[in-house]
Amino acid sequence: MPAAGEGPAGEGLAGGRREDTVAAVVRQWRTVHPGLDTGPMEVIGRINRCAALLQQAEDAPLRRAGLSRPEFDLLGALRRTGHELTPGELARETFSSGAAVTKRLKQLTERGLVERRGDTRDRRVVHLRLTDTGRDLVDGILPAQLAYETAVLSGLDGPEQGELAALLGELLGQLEGRLGGLRT
């Protein structure tokens, strides 16, 4: 029986697409454990592999600007929310740890992209906002970054991209709603 996505002779994916690495891994597991349901591995494995490849490739426009994806995410959060945020709020907006946000903010502040303002009522609280330079950088990079991401997804047509986005959105919504209960 061919693996999911393989043609009748097991010669790769139907429609002329080449077999991905996860299909090979699944085929190996099926050889070792023929009765095992590898369906979850086929989804999660592909999501993880795509994420790893995207991280390895980095984001060309960001790299040219001397930014990492996590740094751009912080700058983007400050830009898209349109108001000052505390480091804790930035951590929640970017799904980052507080320590990682603190480290990145130090670098971005030193580069003159973010400025800090102490709270008038509580000196322990810091408010962060983009400088004019930071705002101009985000606004300048965003169109190039979106063009880069469009090129990354160019192998999928519009309806396929929409379907993938909808399916990933459904999965993400479910995970955000219940993942804490799955951790043990």
Side-chain angles (χ1 to χ4, degrees):
M1 171 183 231
E6 288 189 346
E11 301 169 352
L13 298 179
R17 294 185 182 180
R18 72 183 263 264
E19 180 181 73
D20 62 66
T21 55
V22 173
V25 168
V26 166
R27 192 171 51 256
Q28 291 167 341
W29 277 118
R30 285 184 178 161
T31 300
V32 175
H33 291 287
L36 198 62
D37 177 12
T38 58
M41 182 184 297
E42 294 179 54
V43 174
I44 303 298
R46 285 186 174 99
I47 290 171
N48 287 337
R49 181 75 174 141
C50 286
L53 289 170
L54 288 169
Q55 287 175 343
Q56 285 176 5
E58 297 185 21
D59 299 290
L62 302 182
R63 191 173 58 249
R64 283 193 297 272
L67 292 172
S68 66
R69 166 57 78 167
E71 289 171 333
F72 183 72
D73 288 346
L74 289 178
L75 296 174
L78 288 168
R79 181 66 173 126
R80 74 176 184 269
T81 60
H83 57 82
E84 294 179 345
L85 297 172
T86 65
E89 291 167 334
L90 267 176
R92 284 187 295 280
E93 282 287 326
T94 60
F95 309 104
S96 301
S97 72
V101 167
T102 298
K103 179 182 173 186
R104 292 177 192 129
L105 285 173
K106 182 178 186 290
Q107 296 166 340
L108 295 170
T109 301
E110 289 171 356
R111 290 180 60 186
L113 302 173
V114 173
E115 58 188 14
R116 306 165 73 90
R117 180 185 63 80
D119 190 276
T120 55
R121 292 175 284 175
D122 186 345
R123 295 189 339 209
R124 298 171 296 177
V125 177
V126 174
H127 298 275
L128 303 151
R129 66 177 167 222
L130 289 177
T131 62
D132 290 343
T133 303
R135 186 183 61 250
D136 292 345
L137 180 64
V138 171
D139 289 350
I141 290 174
L142 189 57
Q145 182 62 24
L146 289 172
Y148 171 78
E149 292 174 1
T150 297
V152 167
L153 296 172
S154 65
L156 301 174
D157 65 23
E160 289 172 325
Q161 286 184 34
E163 183 179 351
L164 179 59
L167 288 169
L168 289 172
E170 178 67 27
L171 176 62
L172 181 59
Q174 290 177 20
L175 291 174
E176 288 175 339
R178 66 180 166 93
L179 189 58
L182 295 176
R183 293 183 184 155
T184 55

